[in-house]
Amino acid sequence: MSTSEPRLRIAMQKSGRLSEDTQKLLKLCGLKLNLSDRRLLAHVSNMPIDIMRVRSSDIPGLVMDGVCDLGIVGDNTLEEEELDRQLKGNKSEYIRTTSLDFGGCRFSIAMPEEFEYTGLACLDGLRFATTYPQLLNRFAKANGINVEFCLLKGSVEVAPRVGLADGICDLVSTGATLEANGLKEVAEVFRSKASLIQRADPLCEEKQAILDTLLPRVHGVMKAKESKYIMLHAPKDKIAEVSKLMPGTETPTILPLAERDNMVAVHVVATETFFWETMEQLKALGCHSILVMPIEKMMG
Ligand code: PRT
């Protein structure tokens, strides 16, 4: 492969909560990643793509400035950078190409356990420690309250205990960190997930062609994760009832069974959760050999 050929450049988190899921996604999309700890710009060996591994907080800016063509980043980091750039009059455009299915968390206001929370109005005039002041500010303005903030890049939860702030506004997933620090979640400010973002200005023809190959694969990986392949043996005269029980399925494939004239094999792809209860209802209709299997890739 010639080195002068345009290569699509994707920014991803080097290490942290999003890096493993991002690597997994790119690998499932068929990219042969050649990552080592020291190499910050890695060539994908089987496609004209380079992976730039950086701090999560640098990714939105790299895409907005056109240094990278794509980036995978949390919506919290993305929107904070967008608001901050808008405030400073800097370039802040990007395209959110796909909302991904990992990195889920909420950005919430939390107060000391003993605080008597009676609604958002009781937070008026208080001071909050946060890593994302613009997101907090947007929420406060939209709800008609004034808040002060102190910027902390980590260990935000400790701020009220040491007298730095009255409360905090931080990312929460399980809530265990809040609990361990004597805090309670009182209001959700923002819900976040990882997103695949793209620079706003058009890509050259060659890069667009790479993206046109990559995007259906990203969607295929996500769709496969949500879907299950279901196989079962069903009484021939119950096919209509069996089909009705299948959640979000495409047309089932019906196949004859050797030496069983009254039974058929049914194969379907279900795009919704397949519950134990549904399997029990199928069994009650006379179905057996019910198999629910994961799907690795899907297209079309
Ligand atoms: O790469 P860089 O250092 O710039 O970014 P970072 O410091 O934000 O990295 P990292 O790896 O901590 O987070 C990367 C992204 O993961 C975040 O921007 C979010 O989009 C997403 N994410 C999802 C989270 C969490 N869940 C999360 N729980 N990021 C941080 N946390 C922290 C939170 O700040 C708190 O300290 O986890 C703690 C709370 O977790 P629970 O489970 O106890 O509630």
Side-chain angles (χ1 to χ4, degrees), residues 13 16-17 55-57 76-77 105 157 170-171 173-177:
Q13 190 188 29
R17 286 172 186 262
R55 297 279 306 257
S56 194
S57 45
N76 52 300
T77 311
C105 57
E157 292 87 354
D170 196 22
L171 302 172
S173 25
T174 61
T177 310

Side-chain angles (χ1 to χ4, degrees), residues 178-243:
L178 290 184
E179 201 183 319
N181 287 283
L183 298 167
K184 63 180 177 191
E185 194 173 350
V186 296
E188 184 179 302
V189 170
F190 185 77
R191 230 163 228 268
S192 183
K193 268 186 179 187
S195 283
L196 173 67
I197 56 165
Q198 183 186 336
R199 58 191 278 190
D201 41 333
L203 299 173
C204 67
E205 205 177 309
E206 292 89 341
K207 286 188 180 183
Q208 187 60 50
I210 308 166
L211 183 61
D212 291 344
T213 303
L214 184 62
L215 268 190
R217 293 189 187 186
V218 170
H219 296 145
V221 169
M222 284 173 37
K223 204 168 163 209
K225 267 198 239 173
E226 291 161 8
S227 305
K228 295 278 177 282
Y229 194 80
I230 298 159
M231 284 173 23
L232 52 90
H233 292 175
K236 233 180 194 170
D237 58 351
K238 294 279 167 46
I239 291 180
E241 285 153 278
V242 167
S243 298

Side-chain angles (χ1 to χ4, degrees), residues 12-14 53-60 62 153:
M12 65 168 274
Q13 190 188 29
K14 182 172 184 287
R53 295 160 72 223
V54 293
R55 297 279 306 257
S56 194
S57 45
D58 290 333
I59 295 174
L62 288 168
K153 293 285 182 190

Side-chain angles (χ1 to χ4, degrees), residues 7-14 40-42 48-73 78 85 91 93-95 97 196-204 207 211 214:
R7 298 177 71 84
L8 195 76
R9 189 178 290 163
I10 307 177
M12 65 168 274
Q13 190 188 29
K14 182 172 184 287
L40 300 180
L41 189 64
I49 296 177
D50 289 337
I51 306 291
M52 188 161 163
R53 295 160 72 223
V54 293
R55 297 279 306 257
S56 194
S57 45
D58 290 333
I59 295 174
L62 288 168
V63 174
M64 289 168 189
D65 291 336
V67 177
C68 292
D69 305 301
L70 298 179
I72 294 179
V73 68
L78 178 63
R85 284 182 170 228
K91 196 174 169 199
E93 289 80 26
Y94 62 90
I95 301 164
T97 310
L196 173 67
I197 56 165
Q198 183 186 336
R199 58 191 278 190
D201 41 333
L203 299 173
C204 67
K207 286 188 180 183
L211 183 61
L214 184 62

